[in-house]
Amino acid sequence: MIEPSEFCASLAKRSIDFYCGVPDSLLKPLCAYIDDALPSDKHVITANEGNALAIAAGRYLGSGNAAAVYLQNSGLGNVINPLTSLADKQVYSIPMLLIIGWRGEPGVKDEPQHVKQGAITESQLDLLDIPYAVIDSSSELGSVLPPLLANMIDASCPVALLVRKNTFLAYKKQLNSYPEYSLPREKALCAILELLSPQDLVVSTTGKTSREVFEIRQARGQRNSDFLTVGAMGHTSSIAFGVASASPDKRVVALDGDGSMLMHMGALPVIGNHAASNLIHVVLNNQSHESVGGQPTVAGRIDLEQIALASGYKHYNSADSEESLTQVWHTLPDKEGPVMLEVKIAKGSREDLGRPTSTPKQNKLAFMRHAGSTE
């Protein structure tokens, strides 16, 4: 397996010492090492992948050195526009190295939301005319990197490393630069689901939140009619807004995460200014991308109240305990929405946390039956 420190040292020898991107579970050891080892002016955890690519382009324009952009292959959709209209050889011709975690690789078992993306990843890179190399635990960096990076420099273009599962040696993050909250997410979700009325429509975000919602419902013997957004990170609030606009007589609750909310934060003023009065936007804020390794977000350093109200949300509330969550929740029915409720939660989850046993299509149909939009 490849040592993250060895990988970064190999790139540094070739003048690549700046990294930006969105953390990925397959790249977890590399992301953790970068966050520990590099100063803040050499590493930026970005809101989304397009954000990262634009920063890398600017870094090259300002320094003359190519930057590294790390992402999961599901994030390729977020970089297609800046790749084709900014970095491409036919436009500004900007060199950079994309480090892409290959979820859903054909022949490797993975979750359903990764299967399609995994199957088309190589074809996407070919279509985008991005030279790439595939690496795994047995790859020799001295053989793989030189020709790929030489191509990047000679052609002044983006190139990519497609990283297979278990390529990097495990690395445990050492540093923690933000204060911890104490309320476990699962306890917060238990409290919220207990406070809902049977008619409420729930849309939960990708990652551990949806997994916990599913297991809480099962443990209580309740039907699983919540929409579990297993993919499409960053779009939970927009999905919930669409549901709210179609079901104005029902209360819609979006169970979002801080990383998801930040990824496409431009959705907030759209939601706020279309006055979805029946929408409660819950942001479960543990200041981290927990589902892919716990790398920090900036959500602990920004004022979500000011952001929500400036975006047109009618009200903002916050809670950091089961007691305060319950107290705040009982005030929500008296308020015109959209409402943002920030719940400050701890990182961490049960080691035995499972995954939904229903398929995405089964989940969709159960939700639509509950919403009354299909038989």
Side-chain angles (χ1 to χ4, degrees), residues 95-116:
M96 61 184 66
L97 173 64
L98 308 181
I99 305 168
I100 305 170
W102 196 357
R103 294 297 302 268
E105 178 186 356
V108 178
K109 185 178 180 181
D110 212 325
E111 299 306 309
Q113 67 268 26
H114 295 297
V115 173
K116 177 68 173 185

Side-chain angles (χ1 to χ4, degrees), residues 290-313:
E290 187 190 335
S291 294
V292 291
Q295 299 84 358
T297 69
V298 298
R301 301 184 178 93
I302 60 177
D303 191 330
L304 283 185
E305 179 176 10
Q306 290 193 41
I307 291 171
L309 296 178
S311 296
Y313 281 62

Side-chain angles (χ1 to χ4, degrees), residues 50-332:
N51 176 201
L53 194 132
I55 291 172
R59 188 77 184 187
Y60 173 75
L61 293 172
S63 68
N65 292 326
V69 175
Y70 58 83
L71 66 152
Q72 186 179 108
N73 56 338
S74 62
L76 275 172
N78 281 336
V79 297
I80 286 177
N81 175 268
L83 276 174
T84 57
S85 64
L86 177 68
D88 191 82
K89 288 183 289 185
Q90 296 185 55
V91 192
Y92 291 104
S93 194
I94 297 176
M96 61 184 66
L97 173 64
L98 308 181
I99 305 168
I100 305 170
W102 196 357
R103 294 297 302 268
E105 178 186 356
V108 178
K109 185 178 180 181
D110 212 325
E111 299 306 309
Q113 67 268 26
H114 295 297
V115 173
K116 177 68 173 185
Q117 179 59 58
I120 65 173
T121 295
E122 289 186 290
S123 299
Q124 282 181 302
L125 294 174
D126 289 335
L127 182 63
L128 292 166
D129 196 24
I130 296 177
Y132 69 95
V134 178
I135 62 171
D136 57 27
S137 59
S138 63
S139 296
E140 293 290 337
L141 295 178
S143 301
V144 175
L145 289 178
L148 184 68
L149 297 181
N151 192 350
M152 178 188 75
I153 297 299
D154 294 343
S156 191
C157 69
V159 298
L161 282 173
L162 195 51
V163 182
R164 286 184 163 132
K165 187 177 181 180
N166 297 324
T167 291
F168 289 104
L169 195 66
Y171 175 87
K172 185 175 181 180
K173 185 169 171 56
Q174 304 298 315
L175 303 178
N176 183 8
S177 58
Y178 50 90
E180 294 279 356
Y181 301 135
S182 60
L183 176 63
R185 180 183 50 250
E186 193 162 10
K187 282 191 175 182
L189 289 171
C190 281
I192 292 170
L193 295 179
E194 184 69 28
L195 292 163
L196 296 178
S197 73
Q199 294 77 33
D200 289 341
L201 302 177
V202 176
V203 178
S204 63
T205 190
T206 186
K208 293 183 178 179
T209 298
S210 283
R211 293 164 62 182
E212 288 175 342
V213 167
F214 183 86
E215 292 209 342
I216 292 168
R217 294 294 200 193
Q218 279 200 316
R220 293 178 176 176
Q222 299 172 340
R223 60 180 181 176
N224 289 285
S225 56
D226 312 306
F227 188 80
L228 309 175
T229 315
V230 295
M233 181 175 168
H235 295 296
T236 300
S237 62
S238 295
I239 296 169
F241 168 65
V243 173
S245 68
S247 307
D249 57 331
K250 294 187 177 182
R251 185 168 61 176
V252 179
V253 179
L255 299 175
D256 210 354
D258 55 300
S260 171
M261 181 273 298
L262 289 166
M263 180 166 277
H264 294 297
M265 200 162 68
L268 300 186
V270 173
I271 293 169
N273 282 275
H274 278 79
S277 61
N278 55 329
L279 176 63
I280 298 174
H281 186 181
V282 179
V283 178
L284 299 159
N285 184 7
N286 60 5
Q287 311 166 90
S288 71
H289 289 287
E290 187 190 335
S291 294
V292 291
Q295 299 84 358
T297 69
V298 298
R301 301 184 178 93
I302 60 177
D303 191 330
L304 283 185
E305 179 176 10
Q306 290 193 41
I307 291 171
L309 296 178
S311 296
Y313 281 62
K314 302 302 182 184
H315 300 277
Y316 163 91
N317 293 96
S318 67
D320 59 7
S321 67
E322 290 177 90
E323 294 76 18
S324 62
L325 176 54
T326 300
Q327 290 172 1
V328 166
W329 191 270
H330 286 307
T331 71
L332 299 183

